[in-house]
Amino acid sequence: MSKILHGGRLSSVREDVAKFTSSRKDDERLANAVVEINKAHVIMLIEQQIIQRQDGAKILCALQKQSGAKLDPNAEDVHMAVEEAVLAETGAEVGGNLHIAKSRNDQVTTAIRMQLREELIVLMQKVTMMQQSLLDAADKHTNTIILEYTHLQAAQPVTFAHYLLSHFQALQRDFERLQGAYEHVNLCPLGSGALATTSFPINRKRTAELLGFSAVLENSIDAVGSRDFILETQGALALLAVNLSRFAEDLIIWSSAEFGTVELPDEFTSTSSIMPQKKNPEALEVIRARASCALGDFVASTAIMKSLPSTYNLDLQEVTPKLWATVDNLSASLSIFASLIPNVKVSANVEGKAAAGFVGATELANMLAAKYHVAFRTAHKIVGALVKSLVDSKKTLLDATPELLSKIALEAAGVKLKVKADDIADCTNPRRLVETYLVQGGPAPVEVQRAIKTSAKTVADTESKIAMLKKNLADANGNLNRTLESYAAQKG
Ligand code: ARG
């Protein structure tokens, strides 16, 4: 327990218990925010004439000298460390009023929110960077054909650009979720005190404004006791992690010789200590595993919260490090993933794989329906029987002939069919197939080029939204410092 909390209600302290319950190490990340909060609080106390102007000025001067690095690492928590530092500088008569009309309960959640705003901005920037790197890669691959799979079975051909854009779109939702979380984070609990505000005539709007919050988080019980802004952030990050993990999983599988769809850049892989042929997709494997850790940390936080009585309980302290763990986890994964994307190579021989995988079968059925007026369900049956017969005789779709198709159509569906060889050939050419998938959101090169253009606009929008958030924080901080300097000069 901190020195300044000694000698009151409690007679003795056990060092091991104090160490066990201390958040001091985890608080490191909050130190600067806590100093800023104290500055804003003191300015407000002066303006509301709750403390003497000259005393306030002395406290502000003491606060100006504080920074995370200088604070006592052995204090109970960072809140006590700041107060102790100010007391040491100004003496008990003056510094003893720093804690008028506030509590660690409102202060800590305000500090987490302030730090989290910064972290969310960085995360949003990283999501946007990854989106940009997807767009750049997509631009180079609008004509690169790959196979896509359902149930891990070859399904239909697409362009690699189309595949990359699927992740762009998911990341856009991730961005929007982080943006939504930011709005709930950017509300100011300060002034809620321990849980019931205070009898001092404080001005909550003023501290909220000085600290760059968009508004006051009004109800004081909710303000000190809720952490759903953390769960919301961790939830958004857990979904982001799931998206990254699935992307990683695709590339891991596709980089195997069995799939042979992509080749990963050497620097993101490693070899085996015994098997010299190995090129293991290790960076992606770590991203996939860390996604599971993000889910675990989200569950840990949610589990801490779910049965807590209202207002403040020290359990809340244990949620905060889970938040930072999730933030750091996703921040690192996004950086690594974004830098891997530009150097992924796409392997050739899609034609051979497409034929062996019978990926033209759907189009063959479509063609029978469109050109030969066979009902789609019947066409599906005929083509299914054709594929079975080709598989049984160890052939591919390239071996399908009009004669074989006529024979099978009659046997399987009682349909008389005379199909041109060219019509069959058209269905077995994966590039041609992709070019026909022209529908909005499809893989045809022209459609993907259109999608890339729209997506580039989305990125530009996103970047200006982030710039606005940064500007709001920088403006508030400039205003806080200017106000502080003018009050600090009035020491008398
Ligand atoms: N270290 C605490 C936390 O991180 C700060 C608030 C402590 N409040 C209290 N009444 N013990 O949540």
Side-chain angles (χ1 to χ4, degrees), residues 446-457:
V446 277
E447 174 55 15
V448 170
Q449 273 147 11
R450 184 200 62 77
I452 290 175
K453 277 205 192 103
T454 330
S455 306
K457 279 200 202 100

Side-chain angles (χ1 to χ4, degrees), residues 35-317:
V35 173
E36 299 300 292
I37 290 167
N38 276 285
K39 289 176 184 170
H41 182 68
V42 172
I43 289 170
M44 182 276 292
L45 292 179
I46 297 172
E47 290 175 350
Q48 296 296 106
Q49 297 173 0
I50 296 170
I51 59 171
Q52 300 280 334
R53 192 165 277 264
Q54 288 181 355
D55 288 355
K58 284 180 195 148
I59 301 178
L60 289 175
C61 288
L63 283 170
Q64 251 175 334
K65 294 184 197 151
Q66 305 309 322
S67 72
K70 290 195 203 135
L71 296 167
D72 177 9
N74 298 315
E76 178 177 321
D77 58 26
V78 69
H79 314 283
M80 300 320 301
V82 171
E83 198 178 336
E84 278 162 16
V86 170
L87 279 168
E89 183 93 14
T90 60
E93 275 310 300
V94 174
N97 280 330
L98 172 61
H99 209 56
I100 275 189
K102 75 176 162 61
S103 155
R104 282 183 289 171
N105 297 357
D106 58 350
Q107 185 162 291
V108 68
T109 180
T110 308
I112 299 168
R113 286 164 183 273
M114 286 173 64
Q115 181 59 22
L116 185 51
R117 289 188 307 202
E118 309 279 346
E119 312 267 4
L120 276 170
I121 287 174
V122 173
L123 283 164
M124 286 191 262
Q125 275 171 325
K126 289 194 176 190
V127 169
T128 312
M129 268 168 50
M130 178 146 170
Q131 286 183 299
Q132 187 58 55
S133 116
L134 286 169
L135 283 191
D136 294 343
D139 212 30
K140 294 192 193 115
H141 286 291
T142 51
N143 281 302
T144 311
I145 313 291
I146 61 161
L147 294 192
E148 254 295 23
Y149 300 79
T150 60
H151 312 267
L152 269 193
Q153 309 282 318
Q156 289 183 303
V158 294
T159 47
F160 191 55
H162 185 233
Y163 171 74
L164 294 173
L165 289 188
S166 74
H167 291 292
F168 178 95
Q169 188 162 300
L171 282 170
Q172 186 57 27
R173 292 191 297 276
D174 289 317
F175 173 84
E176 286 162 17
R177 277 187 281 269
L178 293 175
Q179 204 189 1
Y182 189 98
E183 280 177 29
H184 286 151
V185 169
N186 195 22
L187 297 170
C188 189
L190 197 65
S192 297
L195 75 118
T197 71
T198 174
S199 56
F200 286 101
I202 60 170
N203 181 350
R204 292 190 66 190
K205 276 211 180 92
R206 178 65 171 145
T207 38
E209 171 203 36
L210 285 167
L211 295 172
F213 285 100
S214 66
V216 165
L217 183 61
E218 211 167 88
N219 183 285
S220 61
I221 293 176
D222 173 54
V224 296
S226 63
R227 292 290 186 275
D228 51 344
F229 71 97
I230 293 185
L231 301 186
E232 188 175 348
T233 303
Q234 280 189 284
L237 291 175
L239 296 187
L240 169 60
V242 169
N243 285 334
L244 294 187
S245 182
R246 292 190 68 190
F247 191 1
E249 171 75 355
D250 275 343
L251 296 182
I252 289 168
I253 297 176
W254 291 357
S255 69
S256 70
E258 287 72 7
F259 278 80
T261 303
V262 296
E263 189 186 339
L264 300 174
D266 283 3
E267 319 84 88
F268 295 83
T269 65
S270 183
T271 191
S272 156
S273 61
I274 178 169
M275 298 170 282
Q277 84 278 17
K278 294 302 284 297
K279 183 172 174 184
N280 296 328
E282 298 196 351
L284 292 168
E285 289 173 321
V286 170
I287 289 173
R288 186 174 58 182
R290 298 244 171 103
S292 309
C293 299
L295 298 186
D297 287 334
F298 171 67
V299 171
S301 298
T302 318
I304 293 172
M305 293 308 298
K306 80 162 264 296
S307 301
L308 276 191
S310 56
T311 83
Y312 190 84
N313 304 269
L314 202 59
D315 312 47
L316 295 179
Q317 171 181 291

Side-chain angles (χ1 to χ4, degrees), residues 53 57-58 60-61 64 483-492:
R53 192 165 277 264
K58 284 180 195 148
L60 289 175
C61 288
Q64 251 175 334
T483 315
L484 179 136
E485 268 155 32
S486 76
Y487 284 115
Q490 303 174 21
K491 264 197 292 188

